[in-house]
Amino acid sequence: MKIGFLGLGNMGGPMALNLVKAGHQLTVFDLSKPAVDQLVEAGATAADTIAALAKSDVELIITMLPAAQHVKSVYLGDEGLLAHVSPKVRLIDSSTIDPMSAREVEAAASKHGNLMLDAPVSGGTGGAAAGTLTFMVGGEQADFDAALPVLQAMGKNIVHCGPAGNGQVAKVANNMLLAISMIGTAEAMNLGVSLGMDPKVLAGIINTSSGRCWSSDTYNPYPGVMDSAPASRGYSGGFGTDLMLKDLGLATDAAKQARQPVILGALAQQLYQTFSGQGNGALDFSAIIKLYAGGKDE
Ligand code: NAD
């Protein structure tokens, strides 16, 4: 299939590479020349502008951009996609943005005659490279069915979550729970260790007891408990604190609009805000455990 791909960063770059590997013909655009060059080396064609990409003979355009303001300007701007794309081209936005912005862009696309899906992902840069992402997809069932083979070249679990915006709803709800469970795990681990428990023994107990969760059994924040976790490599790599903070902002904003209390989500946002403000925004989000160490290194 002829596919346009816009936004070739940490996630979009490897996702686009997987589409090339699966035999699709890609036309790509990014503000970063090195990001474009990497795809061109792999066999993709570069477009000079968003308008040029929109006007090329692609059947589907996928975007993977940092935040809602980028998505709105790329789709709705005077020189954006909708100003130039043919109505028969299908659109998929995989960026993580708030559900209301996703619905606003989808409504504009629909008015223009384009079918559009929101399809945010989970699985991080490792999942993007390995082609094992989870896609949470909002939009019409028939459009989802048509997009499935393309999404399967980049992911393993592809779930239709309901109408437009529902992919983003699933994503913000999951990531808010992840933030809360990580803070809970950090608090419990630090309490146990400060009262004399060996961290590995404590993690083993939690992971075979009712406190078990992904933050404790796959991504434990206590250093040395799990060799594969960012906690055991100085909290480098993984999912950055500032990205988690962004997702908590999306959750609390969406909650405000839905008039739905998110008490622990708001508290988690404040804790991550504090931690980021202390200069830790680039560390993996499990480093939030450092807040409990009174500043001393874990
Ligand atoms: P990134 O910053 O690495 O990449 C974004 C890319 O978009 C950059 O290459 C940038 O040059 C490009 N870009 C920005 N504005 C543009 C424009 N107007 N036109 C063309 N290109 C433009 O970000 P990322 O880590 O790839 O994340 C992308 C999205 O995926 C975000 O919404 C993020 O929240 C989400 N996400 C990230 C991860 C992760 O682990 N990194 C995991 C899941 C979801």
Side-chain angles (χ1 to χ4, degrees), residues 6-15 29-33 35 50 64-71 73-74 94-97 120-126 133 171 175 238-240 243 246-247 250:
L6 213 149
L8 306 165
N10 293 328
M11 296 293 289
M15 288 164 70
F29 177 76
D30 195 291
L31 300 175
S32 151
K33 189 171 175 320
I50 296 174
M64 190 53 165
L65 298 160
Q69 75 262 28
H70 308 96
V71 174
S73 92
V74 162
S94 281
S95 324
T96 300
I97 64 172
V121 302
S122 148
T125 51
L133 292 169
K171 173 77 182 170
N175 276 27
F239 183 51
L243 278 180
K246 171 197 150 192
D247 288 359
L250 298 180

Side-chain angles (χ1 to χ4, degrees), residues 98-109:
D98 64 284
M100 284 70 183
S101 295
R103 287 172 180 155
E104 182 187 331
V105 176
E106 189 277 336

Side-chain angles (χ1 to χ4, degrees), residues 49-265:
T49 60
I50 296 174
L53 185 145
K55 285 192 270 193
S56 65
D57 62 345
V58 294
E59 300 152 76
L60 167 73
I61 297 176
I62 301 173
T63 50
M64 190 53 165
L65 298 160
Q69 75 262 28
H70 308 96
V71 174
K72 285 186 187 176
S73 92
V74 162
Y75 280 88
L76 310 178
D78 290 343
E79 283 306 306
L81 289 174
L82 291 182
H84 296 283
V85 78
S86 145
K88 62 179 185 294
V89 176
R90 292 171 183 271
L91 306 168
I92 300 178
D93 180 41
S94 281
S95 324
T96 300
I97 64 172
D98 64 284
M100 284 70 183
S101 295
R103 287 172 180 155
E104 182 187 331
V105 176
E106 189 277 336
S110 172
K111 204 168 156 201
H112 188 260
N114 299 86
L115 286 167
M116 180 164 187
L117 299 170
D118 53 296
V121 302
S122 148
T125 51
T132 56
L133 292 169
T134 292
F135 281 86
M136 295 157 254
V137 188
E140 288 177 19
Q141 181 71 50
D143 194 19
F144 172 81
D145 293 342
L148 197 55
V150 172
L151 298 180
Q152 280 167 337
M154 301 181 284
K156 213 164 64 173
N157 301 312
I158 326 279
V159 183
H160 186 220
C161 301
N166 275 23
Q168 301 292 356
V169 172
K171 173 77 182 170
V172 294
N174 176 72
N175 276 27
M176 185 182 79
L177 177 56
L178 173 61
I180 294 167
S181 78
M182 181 54 78
I183 292 166
T185 303
E187 192 164 305
M189 288 298 300
N190 251 30
L191 174 67
V193 174
S194 69
L195 290 171
M197 281 289 290
D198 176 87
K200 278 193 177 177
V201 175
L202 178 58
I205 295 291
I206 290 173
N207 291 336
T208 50
S209 304
S210 46
R212 183 178 68 83
C213 62
W214 186 87
S215 298
S216 71
D217 78 358
T218 306
Y219 214 83
N220 199 290
Y222 206 92
V225 167
M226 275 166 192
D227 289 345
S228 58
S232 296
R233 49 172 195 269
Y235 301 99
S236 62
F239 183 51
T241 288
D242 279 346
L243 278 180
M244 178 53 93
L245 188 54
K246 171 197 150 192
D247 288 359
L248 284 166
L250 298 180
T252 52
D253 283 353
K256 209 182 295 167
Q257 294 184 48
R259 304 178 74 83
Q260 173 67 33
V262 283
I263 297 158
L264 293 181

Side-chain angles (χ1 to χ4, degrees), residues 4-57:
F5 205 113
L6 213 149
L8 306 165
N10 293 328
M11 296 293 289
M15 288 164 70
L17 278 175
N18 280 332
L19 290 176
V20 173
K21 279 185 208 153
H24 296 290
Q25 288 175 46
L26 257 66
T27 302
V28 297
F29 177 76
D30 195 291
L31 300 175
S32 151
K33 189 171 175 320
V36 172
D37 289 347
Q38 203 196 359
L39 260 295
V40 170
E41 265 169 45
T45 304
D48 289 339
T49 60
I50 296 174
L53 185 145
K55 285 192 270 193
S56 65
D57 62 345

